[in-house]
Amino acid sequence: MSAIAYRFAVNVTPKPGILDPQGRAVEASLGHLGIVGVSGVRVGRRIELTVEAASEEAARGVAGRLAAELLANPLIEAHEIELLGSGAPGAR
Amino acid sequence: MSAIAYRFAVNVTPKPGILDPQGRAVEASLGHLGIVGVSGVRVGRRIELTVEAASEEAARGVAGRLAAELLANPLIEAHEIELLGSGAPGAR
């Protein structure tokens, strides 16, 4: 069984109710730019990565472990995993 | 014409060829976690925000201006705008 390369994005966002100073900073800058009608700004991270595995399920498992153990702080951040594409290894 | 609230995500990623020290740091940590088969890690940002506007086109224009002028550095970062949902203002 040959490996397939899966490209994922891990989207990490502050959980609801958690203070988000970067989001507040963006909102405070809007007036200077003359931008109106923008609210609810939340700043998180987006990590894109390739996982080589035998199946999409196995690849998602690796990405999920990485997200939970390294990329997100589960106390204050939520994460979701998004499949961007797949193909032969090395072809990304 | 009443305003509609559009929820967007702005995904900001390092452009191809641009050095990504955070991505290298994640890759260097994989061995300690016993995770294999992961490569091509790129660390960016994900900003979620609500724009109140009369149409989706107008709302996308505001989000695009905000992304280009405040959220991303166009010299080294690419950005894409993703519509997450829409509804009555205040209902997000």
Side-chain angles (χ1 to χ4, degrees), chain A residues 41-80:
Chain A
V41 180
R42 305 289 279 169
V43 177
R45 293 186 303 287
R46 179 179 174 92
I47 301 97
E48 297 184 357
L49 53 90
T50 298
V51 182
E52 285 186 29
S55 68
E56 184 183 328
E57 192 184 353
R60 274 190 186 272
V62 172
R65 220 194 115 198
L66 190 54
E69 295 184 16
L70 187 66
L71 303 176
N73 176 346
L75 285 177
I76 59 170
E77 292 171 327
H79 69 265
E80 54 168 29

Short mmCIF file of all heavy atoms in Angstrom, two decimals, chain A residues 41-80:
data_model
loop_
_atom_site.label_atom_id
_atom_site.label_comp_id
_atom_site.label_asym_id
_atom_site.label_seq_id
_atom_site.Cartn_x
_atom_site.Cartn_y
_atom_site.Cartn_z
N VAL A 41 -13.89 40.95 15.52
CA VAL A 41 -12.61 40.49 14.96
C VAL A 41 -11.93 39.51 15.93
O VAL A 41 -11.77 39.82 17.11
CB VAL A 41 -11.66 41.68 14.67
CG1 VAL A 41 -10.34 41.18 14.08
CG2 VAL A 41 -12.32 42.69 13.73
N ARG A 42 -11.58 38.35 15.43
CA ARG A 42 -10.87 37.33 16.22
C ARG A 42 -9.63 36.93 15.43
O ARG A 42 -9.74 36.54 14.27
CB ARG A 42 -11.74 36.09 16.43
CG ARG A 42 -13.11 36.35 17.04
CD ARG A 42 -13.06 36.73 18.47
NE ARG A 42 -12.94 35.59 19.37
CZ ARG A 42 -12.66 35.71 20.67
NH1 ARG A 42 -12.48 36.92 21.20
NH2 ARG A 42 -12.57 34.66 21.44
N VAL A 43 -8.48 36.99 16.07
CA VAL A 43 -7.24 36.67 15.38
C VAL A 43 -6.72 35.31 15.84
O VAL A 43 -6.51 35.09 17.04
CB VAL A 43 -6.17 37.76 15.63
CG1 VAL A 43 -4.84 37.37 14.96
CG2 VAL A 43 -6.65 39.10 15.11
N GLY A 44 -6.55 34.41 14.89
CA GLY A 44 -6.02 33.09 15.19
C GLY A 44 -4.87 32.75 14.26
O GLY A 44 -4.25 33.64 13.67
N ARG A 45 -4.57 31.47 14.14
CA ARG A 45 -3.48 31.03 13.27
C ARG A 45 -4.00 30.03 12.26
O ARG A 45 -5.00 29.36 12.48
CB ARG A 45 -2.37 30.37 14.11
CG ARG A 45 -1.65 31.34 15.03
CD ARG A 45 -0.47 30.71 15.75
NE ARG A 45 -0.81 29.54 16.54
CZ ARG A 45 -1.48 29.58 17.68
NH1 ARG A 45 -1.90 30.73 18.17
NH2 ARG A 45 -1.75 28.47 18.32
N ARG A 46 -3.29 29.96 11.14
CA ARG A 46 -3.60 28.96 10.13
C ARG A 46 -2.29 28.28 9.76
O ARG A 46 -1.37 28.93 9.30
CB ARG A 46 -4.22 29.62 8.90
CG ARG A 46 -4.55 28.63 7.76
CD ARG A 46 -5.18 29.38 6.61
NE ARG A 46 -5.41 28.58 5.43
CZ ARG A 46 -6.55 27.94 5.16
NH1 ARG A 46 -7.56 27.99 6.00
NH2 ARG A 46 -6.70 27.25 4.04
N ILE A 47 -2.22 26.98 10.00
CA ILE A 47 -1.02 26.22 9.71
C ILE A 47 -1.33 25.25 8.58
O ILE A 47 -2.27 24.46 8.67
CB ILE A 47 -0.54 25.44 10.97
CG1 ILE A 47 -0.25 26.41 12.11
CG2 ILE A 47 0.71 24.62 10.65
CD1 ILE A 47 -1.38 26.57 13.10
N GLU A 48 -0.57 25.33 7.50
CA GLU A 48 -0.75 24.40 6.39
C GLU A 48 0.39 23.38 6.42
O GLU A 48 1.53 23.74 6.69
CB GLU A 48 -0.79 25.16 5.06
CG GLU A 48 -1.98 26.11 5.00
CD GLU A 48 -2.15 26.85 3.67
OE1 GLU A 48 -1.30 26.67 2.79
OE2 GLU A 48 -3.13 27.60 3.54
N LEU A 49 0.06 22.13 6.16
CA LEU A 49 1.06 21.07 6.25
C LEU A 49 0.67 19.88 5.39
O LEU A 49 -0.51 19.69 5.07
CB LEU A 49 1.25 20.65 7.72
CG LEU A 49 0.00 20.26 8.50
CD1 LEU A 49 -0.30 18.78 8.39
CD2 LEU A 49 0.17 20.62 9.97
N THR A 50 1.67 19.10 5.04
CA THR A 50 1.47 17.89 4.23
C THR A 50 1.71 16.66 5.11
O THR A 50 2.70 16.62 5.84
CB THR A 50 2.43 17.87 3.04
OG1 THR A 50 2.15 19.00 2.22
CG2 THR A 50 2.28 16.60 2.22
N VAL A 51 0.79 15.71 5.06
CA VAL A 51 0.95 14.45 5.79
C VAL A 51 0.95 13.31 4.77
O VAL A 51 0.03 13.21 3.96
CB VAL A 51 -0.20 14.21 6.80
CG1 VAL A 51 0.04 12.92 7.58
CG2 VAL A 51 -0.35 15.39 7.76
N GLU A 52 1.99 12.48 4.82
CA GLU A 52 1.99 11.28 3.98
C GLU A 52 1.49 10.11 4.79
O GLU A 52 2.01 9.82 5.86
CB GLU A 52 3.41 10.99 3.46
CG GLU A 52 3.82 11.94 2.35
CD GLU A 52 5.16 11.57 1.71
OE1 GLU A 52 5.51 10.37 1.70
OE2 GLU A 52 5.83 12.48 1.23
N ALA A 53 0.44 9.48 4.28
CA ALA A 53 -0.16 8.36 5.01
C ALA A 53 -0.88 7.46 4.01
O ALA A 53 -1.06 7.82 2.85
CB ALA A 53 -1.13 8.87 6.07
N ALA A 54 -1.28 6.29 4.50
CA ALA A 54 -1.90 5.31 3.61
C ALA A 54 -3.35 5.65 3.28
O ALA A 54 -3.89 5.19 2.28
CB ALA A 54 -1.80 3.93 4.23
N SER A 55 -4.00 6.43 4.15
CA SER A 55 -5.41 6.77 3.92
C SER A 55 -5.69 8.16 4.46
O SER A 55 -4.93 8.68 5.29
CB SER A 55 -6.33 5.77 4.62
OG SER A 55 -6.21 5.93 6.03
N GLU A 56 -6.80 8.76 4.01
CA GLU A 56 -7.17 10.08 4.52
C GLU A 56 -7.44 10.02 6.02
O GLU A 56 -7.08 10.93 6.77
CB GLU A 56 -8.41 10.60 3.79
CG GLU A 56 -8.77 12.02 4.22
CD GLU A 56 -10.04 12.56 3.58
OE1 GLU A 56 -10.32 12.19 2.42
OE2 GLU A 56 -10.74 13.35 4.24
N GLU A 57 -8.04 8.93 6.46
CA GLU A 57 -8.35 8.78 7.89
C GLU A 57 -7.06 8.81 8.73
O GLU A 57 -6.98 9.49 9.76
CB GLU A 57 -9.12 7.48 8.12
CG GLU A 57 -9.73 7.37 9.49
CD GLU A 57 -10.41 6.01 9.70
OE1 GLU A 57 -10.51 5.24 8.73
OE2 GLU A 57 -10.81 5.74 10.85
N ALA A 58 -6.04 8.06 8.26
CA ALA A 58 -4.76 8.02 8.98
C ALA A 58 -4.10 9.40 8.96
O ALA A 58 -3.55 9.86 9.98
CB ALA A 58 -3.84 6.98 8.36
N ALA A 59 -4.16 10.07 7.81
CA ALA A 59 -3.54 11.40 7.69
C ALA A 59 -4.23 12.41 8.61
O ALA A 59 -3.59 13.20 9.29
CB ALA A 59 -3.60 11.88 6.24
N ARG A 60 -5.56 12.33 8.66
CA ARG A 60 -6.32 13.23 9.57
C ARG A 60 -5.95 12.96 11.02
O ARG A 60 -5.92 13.88 11.84
CB ARG A 60 -7.83 13.02 9.40
CG ARG A 60 -8.43 13.84 8.29
CD ARG A 60 -9.96 13.78 8.33
NE ARG A 60 -10.50 14.46 7.17
CZ ARG A 60 -10.76 15.76 7.13
NH1 ARG A 60 -10.61 16.51 8.19
NH2 ARG A 60 -11.21 16.31 6.02
N GLY A 61 -5.71 11.72 11.33
CA GLY A 61 -5.31 11.37 12.69
C GLY A 61 -4.00 12.03 13.08
O GLY A 61 -3.87 12.59 14.17
N VAL A 62 -3.03 12.00 12.16
CA VAL A 62 -1.73 12.63 12.41
C VAL A 62 -1.91 14.15 12.56
O VAL A 62 -1.39 14.76 13.50
CB VAL A 62 -0.74 12.30 11.28
CG1 VAL A 62 0.54 13.12 11.43
CG2 VAL A 62 -0.42 10.81 11.26
N ALA A 63 -2.67 14.74 11.64
CA ALA A 63 -2.87 16.20 11.69
C ALA A 63 -3.59 16.59 12.99
O ALA A 63 -3.26 17.60 13.61
CB ALA A 63 -3.66 16.66 10.47
N GLY A 64 -4.55 15.78 13.40
CA GLY A 64 -5.29 16.07 14.63
C GLY A 64 -4.41 15.98 15.86
O GLY A 64 -4.52 16.81 16.77
N ARG A 65 -3.52 14.99 15.87
CA ARG A 65 -2.61 14.85 17.02
C ARG A 65 -1.66 16.04 17.09
O ARG A 65 -1.43 16.61 18.15
CB ARG A 65 -1.79 13.55 16.86
CG ARG A 65 -1.60 12.78 18.15
CD ARG A 65 -0.52 11.72 18.01
NE ARG A 65 0.61 12.03 18.86
CZ ARG A 65 1.83 11.52 18.72
NH1 ARG A 65 2.07 10.68 17.74
NH2 ARG A 65 2.78 11.85 19.55
N LEU A 66 -1.14 16.42 15.92
CA LEU A 66 -0.25 17.57 15.83
C LEU A 66 -0.96 18.85 16.31
O LEU A 66 -0.40 19.65 17.06
CB LEU A 66 0.20 17.71 14.37
CG LEU A 66 1.29 18.67 14.00
CD1 LEU A 66 2.54 18.42 14.82
CD2 LEU A 66 1.61 18.51 12.52
N ALA A 67 -2.20 19.02 15.87
CA ALA A 67 -2.97 20.21 16.26
C ALA A 67 -3.17 20.24 17.77
O ALA A 67 -2.96 21.26 18.42
CB ALA A 67 -4.32 20.23 15.54
N ALA A 68 -3.55 19.10 18.34
CA ALA A 68 -3.89 19.07 19.76
C ALA A 68 -2.66 19.16 20.66
O ALA A 68 -2.73 19.71 21.76
CB ALA A 68 -4.67 17.78 20.08
N GLU A 69 -1.51 18.63 20.18
CA GLU A 69 -0.34 18.56 21.06
C GLU A 69 0.66 19.69 20.83
O GLU A 69 1.48 19.97 21.70
CB GLU A 69 0.38 17.22 20.86
CG GLU A 69 -0.48 16.05 21.31
CD GLU A 69 0.24 14.71 21.21
OE1 GLU A 69 1.47 14.71 21.09
OE2 GLU A 69 -0.44 13.68 21.22
N LEU A 70 0.62 20.33 19.65
CA LEU A 70 1.67 21.29 19.33
C LEU A 70 1.14 22.63 18.84
O LEU A 70 1.67 23.70 19.18
CB LEU A 70 2.61 20.68 18.27
CG LEU A 70 3.87 21.45 17.91
CD1 LEU A 70 4.81 21.52 19.11
CD2 LEU A 70 4.58 20.80 16.72
N LEU A 71 0.07 22.61 18.02
CA LEU A 71 -0.31 23.83 17.32
C LEU A 71 -1.33 24.67 18.07
O LEU A 71 -1.36 25.89 17.92
CB LEU A 71 -0.86 23.48 15.92
CG LEU A 71 0.10 22.69 15.03
CD1 LEU A 71 -0.58 22.30 13.73
CD2 LEU A 71 1.38 23.47 14.75
N ALA A 72 -2.17 24.04 18.87
CA ALA A 72 -3.21 24.79 19.59
C ALA A 72 -3.08 24.54 21.08
O ALA A 72 -2.60 23.48 21.51
CB ALA A 72 -4.60 24.36 19.11
N ASN A 73 -3.47 25.52 21.86
CA ASN A 73 -3.57 25.36 23.31
C ASN A 73 -5.03 25.04 23.63
O ASN A 73 -5.88 25.92 23.58
CB ASN A 73 -3.14 26.65 24.00
CG ASN A 73 -3.31 26.56 25.51
OD1 ASN A 73 -3.97 25.67 26.02
ND2 ASN A 73 -2.70 27.51 26.21
N PRO A 74 -5.34 23.77 23.96
CA PRO A 74 -6.76 23.38 24.08
C PRO A 74 -7.53 24.11 25.18
O PRO A 74 -8.76 24.12 25.16
CB PRO A 74 -6.68 21.87 24.34
CG PRO A 74 -5.28 21.60 24.79
CD PRO A 74 -4.41 22.66 24.17
N LEU A 75 -6.82 24.72 26.13
CA LEU A 75 -7.51 25.46 27.18
C LEU A 75 -8.19 26.71 26.63
O LEU A 75 -9.27 27.09 27.09
CB LEU A 75 -6.51 25.89 28.27
CG LEU A 75 -6.04 24.79 29.22
CD1 LEU A 75 -5.01 25.36 30.18
CD2 LEU A 75 -7.21 24.19 29.98
N ILE A 76 -7.55 27.36 25.69
CA ILE A 76 -8.06 28.66 25.23
C ILE A 76 -8.32 28.73 23.73
O ILE A 76 -8.87 29.72 23.24
CB ILE A 76 -7.08 29.81 25.61
CG1 ILE A 76 -5.69 29.58 25.00
CG2 ILE A 76 -6.96 29.93 27.12
CD1 ILE A 76 -4.76 30.78 25.14
N GLU A 77 -7.95 27.68 22.99
CA GLU A 77 -8.10 27.73 21.54
C GLU A 77 -8.85 26.52 21.01
O GLU A 77 -8.68 25.41 21.50
CB GLU A 77 -6.71 27.79 20.87
CG GLU A 77 -5.97 29.10 21.14
CD GLU A 77 -4.53 29.08 20.66
OE1 GLU A 77 -3.90 28.01 20.69
OE2 GLU A 77 -4.03 30.15 20.26
N ALA A 78 -9.66 26.76 19.98
CA ALA A 78 -10.32 25.68 19.26
C ALA A 78 -9.55 25.46 17.95
O ALA A 78 -8.92 26.37 17.45
CB ALA A 78 -11.76 26.05 18.96
N HIS A 79 -9.60 24.23 17.43
CA HIS A 79 -8.98 24.02 16.12
C HIS A 79 -9.88 23.17 15.24
O HIS A 79 -10.66 22.35 15.72
CB HIS A 79 -7.59 23.38 16.25
CG HIS A 79 -7.62 21.97 16.73
ND1 HIS A 79 -7.47 21.63 18.06
CD2 HIS A 79 -7.79 20.80 16.08
CE1 HIS A 79 -7.54 20.31 18.18
NE2 HIS A 79 -7.74 19.80 17.01
N GLU A 80 -9.78 23.40 13.94
CA GLU A 80 -10.48 22.54 12.99
C GLU A 80 -9.52 22.21 11.86
O GLU A 80 -8.63 23.00 11.53
CB GLU A 80 -11.75 23.22 12.46
CG GLU A 80 -11.51 24.58 11.88
CD GLU A 80 -12.70 25.13 11.09
OE1 GLU A 80 -13.83 24.76 11.41
OE2 GLU A 80 -12.45 25.92 10.16
#
